[in-house]
Amino acid sequence: MELRTGMSEADEPAAGGQWGPERSVRAAVVKALLLGANDQRSGAVAALRLAGARITGRLDLSGAEICHTFSLEGCRLGQAMSLHGATTRTIRITNSWVPGIGAELVRIEGDLDLRRSVLEGGSLILINARMAGNLHLADARISGPTVAVRASGLVMEGGFFGERLITQGGLRLPGAQLPKGLFLQGARLENRGGVALAAGHVATSTVDCSHGFTAQGVVWLRRARIEDLLTFEGAHLNGDGTALVCIGMQAGDFDFKTVSYMVSLRSRL
């Protein structure tokens, strides 16, 4: 369903709280469609797509089994979205405004795509989540009360793509399994006085924090296992007392050239 006007200013999701009833869809209707309310219709496509919609009410899909691809483009959600314990196919919420996503224990048989979206006022929570595909956070902005992204125990078959991601609050990935790599080129992670990137015990092929990657806070890679490359080429590490912790880390190759850092470096590879 396409509800955008075609005028960029009027379609900006940050101002979507002012959109009228002609662009509003109740969360209960979205949930019913995702759970198969329209399956009996001849020729129905196994996907739900909304563009330019204001979704009113709380979209609570906790524990749901969703057999449809779910796509929101340029939408605004009035309340935080819950996918706690859900099983679903690919989810795309792109160029949208969302006050937080709780997806602990979710099982996604595909990708989670949040490119260019803004999560404001609530975290992205992926604790002990499982994904058959990739996590896309390129050009997203996420601000949580204390931590922007909570993804301890995240297990993926794909990669974590956060190019130019901006966070207010830390990005926490302790114990995550990211076989296709962690890519944070040009990302800006801010958690002054705390940990900007917590990736202790992570198992991955690559950690790419290059091309202007900036951490306002400590980068924590204690006991991380990186099969191939760890790079901070062209990065800026601005910790409070310690910029980078690599104690017990294993890496196939370590590229630290042209990095700038404001405070000390602790490593024992």
Side-chain angles (χ1 to χ4, degrees), residues 46-117:
L48 174 62
R49 299 183 179 90
L50 289 173
R54 177 189 178 195
I55 298 176
T56 61
R58 185 167 187 237
L59 186 53
D60 187 350
L61 298 167
S62 301
E65 294 186 12
I66 303 168
C67 299
H68 307 287
T69 296
F70 178 30
S71 176
L72 300 178
E73 168 66 27
C75 292
R76 181 183 177 97
L77 278 71
Q79 298 183 36
M81 175 180 176
S82 178
L83 289 161
H84 182 99
T87 301
T88 180
R89 295 186 182 180
T90 290
I91 297 175
R92 296 186 181 93
I93 305 175
T94 55
N95 194 34
S96 295
W97 192 94
V98 188
I101 298 176
E104 308 94 321
L105 299 171
V106 72
R107 300 294 185 269
I108 300 178
E109 297 300 322
D111 295 347
L112 177 58
D113 187 350
L114 300 175
R115 284 177 288 187
R116 303 179 305 281
S117 284

Side-chain angles (χ1 to χ4, degrees), residues 157-181:
E157 295 181 23
F160 185 120
F161 297 93
E163 302 93 332
R164 300 170 302 280
L165 168 68
I166 297 174
T167 71
Q168 294 291 324
L171 170 56
R172 299 187 58 84
L173 297 165
Q177 298 178 34
L178 312 172
K180 298 298 176 63

